[in-house]
Amino acid sequence: MSVFTPVPESVLADWLKDYAIGRLVELEGISAGVQNSNFFVTTTLGRYVLTLFEGIPRAELPYYLHLMAHLSRHGLPVPGPIANRHNEYLGTLQERPAALVVRLSGRSEMSPGLAHCGRVGAMLAGLHLAGQSYGRRQENPRGAAWRAATAQVLRPFLSADEQTLLDAEIAFQATVDVAALPAGAIHADLFRDNVLWDTDADGGVRIGGVIDFYFAGYDALLFDVAVTVNDWCSTPDGGLDAERAAALLDAYHAERPFTDAERAAWPAMLRAAALRFWMSRAADFHLPRAGEMVLVKDPNEYRDILRLRIATAPPLPR
Ligand SMILES: Nc1ncnc2c1ncn2[C@@H]1O[C@H](COP(=O)(O)OP(=O)(O)O)[C@@H](O)[C@H]1O
Ligand SMILES: N[C@@H](CCOP(=O)(O)O)C(=O)O
């Protein structure tokens, strides 16, 4: 994360009087993440994560917070949001919309093996199945409309080659029949740093938490699978590791079998997912936001992944 907006301890201590979670013991800014300001908050009653939302319109925030509550209620390791004494998940702190969620245990695994990929595939299918009964609907904030608008802003910062790649890929994506694909609430950013791992009693790996639902939205479920495969199963040069991809996709398929339309759209979805993160990283890189601790991820990694996915894509399991 990053901290764009600092929060003095005295201000937070006062704000917490609106909650039933005890008194402030410790406040610590978190340096991972790119979108919002995040803090670990320890009180006399528990451990929480405080998020100050930096760019997301306030009206869109209930979708994310209620989705997290919905998935948590369905038994998935998703941080439940904390309601304040007015029974609201969303408050205001330092003139920003702000929310507290439960702090889940575990650490990210940035070098996942087959067991990790299998568990992530099964978890993603679980999120998609539980999401089918989520009553609210909000479009993917990084979907086709965002892509078109951001392409205009980005173009002047790109090389001639990159402009050609961007234009061609946006034109290609416009030809894909996304409406033919099963859709629902998707996480849309299930990268390795958004999954926390714990250890089982028998020493096996276990997902302790899936975090950061603030890019979630309604879209093709397969887009979410593609985002996840591109991050969890890429080799250092951006190619796909066939074994890790198979572990993730087989485990997903065992919970929610892929349809024929999804099989046909898979290469295009891997490309759409790569394009989305190339564009967002390039926008963050060329148009950085001011902040106390700001993390900017390498856009070229996803530009290269996009080029490789255009060249080749593995099939989905049958
Ligand atoms: N509920 C949580 N439990 C434990 N750690 C969390 C939780 N939410 C966030 N974190 C930590 O905060 C970091 C940044 O959160 P993230 O949601 O990815 O930020 P951003 O909203 O800026 O993208 C994560 O990498 C993780 O270390
Ligand atoms: N996962 C995205 C950026 C979103 O940041 P996050 O910290 O909220 O996951 C990327 O890698 O570009």
Side-chain angles (χ1 to χ4, degrees):
M1 108 169 169
S2 313
V3 171
F4 300 95
T5 306
V7 178
E9 284 196 12
S10 58
V11 172
L12 179 63
D14 205 41
W15 190 72
L16 287 177
K17 290 179 184 156
D18 226 14
Y19 289 78
I21 57 171
R23 273 175 291 126
L24 180 64
V25 173
E26 198 180 351
L27 168 67
E28 185 193 341
I30 309 176
S31 65
V34 299
Q35 195 188 190
N36 301 302
S37 297
N38 294 296
F39 305 83
F40 291 130
V41 172
T42 306
T43 73
T44 43
L45 290 183
R47 302 198 317 154
Y48 308 89
V49 172
L50 167 70
T51 299
L52 269 57
F53 298 98
E54 298 291 349
I56 309 173
R58 190 178 187 98
E60 294 176 12
L61 292 169
Y63 175 86
Y64 306 116
L65 296 168
H66 286 274
L67 176 60
M68 290 158 78
H70 175 87
L71 296 171
S72 171
R73 206 161 62 78
H74 281 252
L76 294 159
V78 171
I82 308 296
N84 63 21
R85 295 198 199 182
H86 313 288
N87 207 26
E88 299 286 343
Y89 291 144
L90 197 57
T92 302
L93 184 58
Q94 301 291 78
E95 297 172 2
R96 304 279 188 283
L100 282 165
V101 303
V102 171
R103 179 173 174 182
L104 297 173
S105 58
R107 316 180 73 108
S108 301
E109 173 56 71
M110 301 310 282
S111 302
L114 298 182
H116 297 101
C117 290
R119 280 174 179 68
V120 164
M123 168 66 61
L124 183 59
L127 294 176
H128 290 169
L129 293 172
Q132 293 293 302
S133 58
Y134 183 48
R136 294 171 189 243
R137 180 166 163 168
Q138 199 161 279
E139 296 309 310
N140 173 3
R142 297 287 180 270
W146 171 86
R147 220 157 49 201
T150 307
Q152 297 310 313
V153 179
L154 259 187
R155 260 185 129 267
F157 295 101
L158 302 180
S159 69
D161 275 1
E162 290 173 333
Q163 287 182 3
T164 305
L165 176 67
L166 180 70
D167 294 345
E169 192 57 27
I170 286 184
F172 168 74
Q173 291 297 334
T175 68
V176 179
D177 185 9
V178 180
L181 305 175
I186 65 168
H187 182 286
D189 186 27
L190 194 61
F191 276 52
R192 288 162 293 169
D193 57 358
N194 285 332
V195 176
L196 307 175
W197 294 93
D198 248 355
T199 310
D200 265 341
D202 63 4
V205 289
R206 185 176 71 81
I207 296 181
V210 176
I211 59 171
D212 198 4
F213 282 78
Y214 305 124
F215 286 117
Y218 185 90
D219 206 339
L221 305 181
L222 194 66
F223 177 77
D224 217 7
V225 181
V227 168
T228 309
V229 165
N230 275 341
D231 183 65
W232 287 82
C233 309
S234 286
T235 54
D237 68 355
L240 270 183
D241 179 293
E243 280 192 310
R244 275 185 284 144
L248 196 156
L249 293 169
D250 287 346
Y252 183 98
H253 182 66
E255 307 298 327
R256 188 190 75 82
F258 294 113
T259 66
D260 287 343
E262 287 181 309
R263 258 184 273 285
W266 180 235
M269 281 302 110
L270 283 170
R271 290 167 59 167
L275 175 66
R276 177 258 183 263
F277 288 99
W278 174 36
M279 291 182 68
S280 61
R281 287 183 177 194
D284 288 345
F285 181 82
H286 293 296
L287 304 156
R289 290 185 287 162
E292 196 174 80
M293 307 154 68
V294 178
L295 176 72
V296 175
K297 297 185 175 177
D298 177 15
N300 296 344
E301 180 187 354
Y302 267 84
R303 177 201 61 202
D304 296 345
I305 289 179
L306 172 58
R307 286 192 171 128
L308 287 164
R309 299 297 176 274
I310 291 170
T312 176
L316 281 179
R318 291 214 164 260

